[in-house]
């Protein structure tokens, strides 16, 4: 069975924890998009791991993890991350592979990225990791793939500085290289988990363009970046937080009002630890945007939703969610493509009763307070998609499974 885990918001939804949890029943985990701009945090007991390139299943000693064809890979960042894992007792030897079709991020791409965003009249707010530049050069057909490292003519034509940078990594990269489509066909009967990066609203085509990432964050990216046909994918899970966050610039219709909601913003940011894993930047915070979440469900054929950070709301008397936008005096219930419309959108909010109880002590969904159930069940009705998993804490154990994604029905 092949299961895809994607972000259903602007990234940072908790995909790393969910992939780590679900990887217990998988044999192979494939990260299919993005690069070192991603940050997935995994907490096991008192240990916390921040991953950027290595798929989240690496912390299980018997899992194979693969960096897919849709990824752009910074060798220095990758081997630094692998060394960090080895230093902390995680044996990665023979368990990490890279699709030979994945592209390489070179140091000059990172410099171009920072210079280009700083020169924009309206900066995107990138992480400065060279991701967008690498994808751009890939589209121009001038990129360097893992497979190209053994192509003498390609290497001879390469900039001398790039060639010198790659030199120390060449042997290790080539040893990790695989034909991903052949590998997955050989393991077609395995349980395979496809891990996305960023989120639907940062997808190059589906997101809030131009304030998006440059890769395919949507479920369709799993087929392309994972080197399988779309009909081979059995299920799509969309991960979302009980509220909304965004890093960098771009529209955010349900963002807390900077004047009247400062206290709520600080509370959510500090309680939810809403600071970028990659950049350390404080995340912008807002009410759960159900309009965009329903859009994510529709555009990704999401089979079931995974809700995270619900416990952040444990102490509040009342919580709110955005159920529509008001744009130029009109109520809009669908997610607009126009950035101008989104910039002018005002959230239409619905209030819900708080539950005033510690959800992290619950072992089953039935132990949740009725008010928490009401909030979840409203989301299910609004999006016409079940919430099958609820996370109420950072640790693996703080995960409530209502229905296993490894079941087809």
């Amino acid at each position: 069975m092949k299961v895809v885990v994607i972000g259903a918001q602007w990234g940072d939804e908790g995909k790393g924890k969910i992939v780590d949890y679900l990887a217990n029943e998988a044999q192979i985990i494939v990260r299919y998009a993005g690069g070192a701009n991603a940050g997935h945090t995994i907490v096991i007991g008192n240990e916390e791991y921040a991953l950027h390139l290595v798929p989240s299943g690496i912390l299980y000693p018997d899992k194979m993890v693969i960096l897919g064809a849709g990824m752009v890979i910074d060798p220095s960042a990758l081997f630094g991350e692998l060394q960090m894992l080895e230093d902390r007792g995680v044996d990665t030897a023979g368990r990490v592979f890279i699709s030979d079709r994945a592209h390489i991020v070179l140091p000059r791409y990172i410099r171009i990225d920072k210079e280009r965003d700083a020169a924009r009249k309206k900066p995107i707010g990138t992480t400065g990791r060279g991701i967008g530049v690498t994808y751009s050069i890939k589209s121009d057909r001038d990129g360097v793939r893992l497979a190209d490292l053994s192509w003498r003519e390609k290497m001879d034509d390469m900039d001398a500085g790039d060639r010198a940078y790659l030199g120390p990594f060449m042997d290790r990269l080539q040893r990790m290289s695989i034909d991903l489509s052949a590998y997955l066909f050989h393991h077609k009967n395995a349980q395979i988990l496809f891990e996305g990066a960023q989120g639907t609203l940062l997808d190059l085509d589906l997101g809030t363009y131009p304030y998006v990432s440059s890769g395919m964050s949507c479920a369709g990216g799993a087929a392309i970046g994972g080197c399988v046909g779309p009909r081979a994918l059995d299920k799509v899970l969309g991960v979302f937080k009980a509220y909304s966050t965004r890093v960098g610039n771009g529209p955010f219709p349900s963002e807390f009002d900077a004047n009247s909601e400062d206290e709520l913003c600080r509370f959510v940011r500090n309680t939810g630890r809403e600071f970028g894993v990659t950049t350390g930047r404080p995340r912008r915070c807002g009410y759960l945007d159900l309009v965009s979440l329903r859009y994510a469900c529709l555009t990704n054929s999401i089979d079931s939703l995974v809700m995270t950070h619900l416990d952040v709301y444990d102490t509040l008397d009342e919580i709110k969610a955005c159920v529509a936008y008001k744009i130029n005096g009109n109520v809009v219930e669908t997610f607009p493509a126009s950035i101008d419309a989104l910039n002018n959108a005002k959230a239409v909010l619905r209030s819900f009763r708080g539950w005033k109880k510690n959800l992290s002590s619950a072992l089953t969904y039935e132990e949740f307070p009725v008010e928490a159930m009401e909030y979840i069940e409203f989301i299910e009705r609004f999006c016409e998609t079940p919430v099958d998993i609820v996370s109420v804490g950072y640790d693996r154990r703080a995960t409530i499974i209502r229905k296993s994604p490894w079941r087809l029905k």
Side-chain angles (χ1 to χ4, degrees):
M1 187 171 175
K2 299 177 180 65
V3 174
V4 180
V5 176
I6 66 164
Q9 295 169 311
W10 279 283
D12 308 310
E13 302 94 347
K15 297 181 295 299
K17 176 200 168 168
I18 300 305
V19 170
D20 170 74
Y21 185 90
L22 297 177
N24 182 47
E25 295 188 53
Q27 285 86 50
I28 301 167
I29 299 87
V30 180
R31 164 91 179 272
Y32 65 83
N37 57 335
H40 295 170
T41 303
I42 300 165
V43 179
I44 305 171
N46 295 322
E47 294 289 323
E48 184 170 313
Y49 300 84
L51 302 176
H52 301 277
L53 284 164
V54 180
S56 300
I58 191 65
L59 298 180
Y60 292 92
D62 58 338
K63 312 300 178 185
M64 298 296 179
V65 303
I66 303 171
L67 286 71
M71 289 190 68
V72 291
I73 297 163
D74 179 334
S76 178
L78 173 62
F79 291 119
E81 195 168 305
L82 290 173
Q83 187 61 55
M84 175 274 293
L85 290 167
E86 293 285 346
D87 290 345
R88 297 183 64 179
V90 179
D91 183 7
T92 66
R95 298 200 294 123
V96 183
F97 301 101
I98 308 172
S99 166
D100 54 11
R101 288 176 165 82
H103 277 247
I104 305 295
V105 179
L106 298 169
R108 61 187 172 91
Y109 299 172
I110 297 172
R111 291 195 298 273
I112 294 169
D113 187 4
K114 292 176 180 177
E115 292 167 0
R116 183 180 291 177
D117 204 46
R120 292 179 190 271
K121 186 179 289 186
K122 294 183 178 179
I124 303 297
T126 76
T127 60
R129 297 300 195 272
I131 307 306
V133 173
T134 309
Y135 278 118
S136 177
I137 290 173
K138 171 183 175 178
S139 296
D140 285 341
R141 279 85 54 143
D142 290 323
V144 179
R145 303 174 305 159
L146 198 60
D148 298 333
L149 299 184
S150 57
W151 182 11
R152 181 82 176 266
E153 183 180 349
K154 178 81 171 183
M155 297 303 292
D156 287 346
D157 290 341
M158 188 181 292
D159 176 90
D162 293 342
R163 196 164 53 243
Y165 167 75
L166 287 170
F169 304 117
M170 294 280 281
D171 288 344
R172 291 181 72 184
L173 286 170
Q174 289 175 317
R175 286 198 300 271
M176 296 164 73
S177 175
I178 61 167
D179 178 337
L180 181 53
S181 60
Y183 183 92
L184 293 185
F185 181 77
H186 181 71
H187 295 87
K188 61 184 176 182
N189 295 321
Q191 301 269 69
I192 303 173
L193 197 56
F194 291 88
E195 176 183 16
Q198 287 80 49
T200 295
L201 303 179
L202 291 176
D203 182 85
L204 184 59
D205 293 300
L206 300 180
T208 52
Y209 187 92
Y211 299 96
V212 292
S213 188
S214 299
M216 297 186 70
S217 308
C218 60
I224 298 170
C227 296
V228 297
R231 288 190 295 173
L233 304 175
D234 297 297
K235 191 170 285 189
V236 178
L237 275 63
V239 185
F240 75 103
K241 280 189 282 210
Y243 46 90
S244 299
T245 63
R246 177 165 196 161
V247 171
N249 300 326
F252 190 179
S254 68
E255 188 169 12
F256 295 139
D257 187 317
N259 296 316
S260 62
E261 301 289 0
D262 274 354
E263 186 176 342
L264 181 56
C265 184
R266 282 195 299 271
F267 170 81
V268 169
R269 183 179 288 144
N270 293 329
T271 308
R273 300 198 291 187
E274 297 298 347
F275 300 88
V277 176
T278 301
T279 64
R281 288 182 292 184
R283 295 172 184 146
R284 299 159 63 189
C285 300
Y287 302 105
L288 173 61
D289 186 340
L290 289 171
V291 179
S292 66
L293 183 61
R294 180 167 58 191
Y295 168 77
C297 290
L298 293 173
T299 53
N300 292 284
S301 298
I302 291 175
D303 295 289
S304 67
L305 288 164
V306 180
M307 181 187 233
T308 64
H309 290 243
L310 184 59
D311 54 302
V312 169
Y313 279 156
D314 280 356
T315 62
L316 298 185
D317 295 315
E318 179 187 60
I319 57 179
K320 297 177 182 179
C322 170
V323 295
Y325 305 142
K326 200 160 190 179
I327 304 174
N328 299 325
N330 299 313
V331 175
V332 177
E333 296 181 342
T334 56
F335 192 71
S338 166
I339 293 299
D340 183 57
L342 286 169
N343 280 333
N344 287 293
K346 304 298 181 186
V348 177
L349 300 174
R350 172 168 175 150
S351 296
F352 300 83
R353 294 181 298 163
W355 40 90
K356 306 285 286 182
K357 291 182 181 177
N358 182 0
L359 293 183
S360 63
S361 62
L363 299 177
T364 65
Y365 181 72
E366 288 68 31
E367 294 177 53
F368 279 8
V370 65
E371 294 85 357
M373 290 184 179
E374 287 172 351
Y375 185 52
I376 293 168
E377 289 161 15
F378 180 85
I379 294 166
E380 291 181 311
R381 292 193 300 273
F382 192 96
C383 296
E384 299 184 50
T385 308
V387 177
D388 286 338
I389 301 175
V390 183
S391 171
V392 290
Y394 294 98
D395 194 86
R396 275 180 184 165
R397 294 165 294 184
T399 311
I400 306 297
I401 305 293
R402 300 176 69 192
K403 179 182 175 183
S404 170
W406 296 111
R407 287 166 39 200
L408 278 174
K409 294 184 180 179

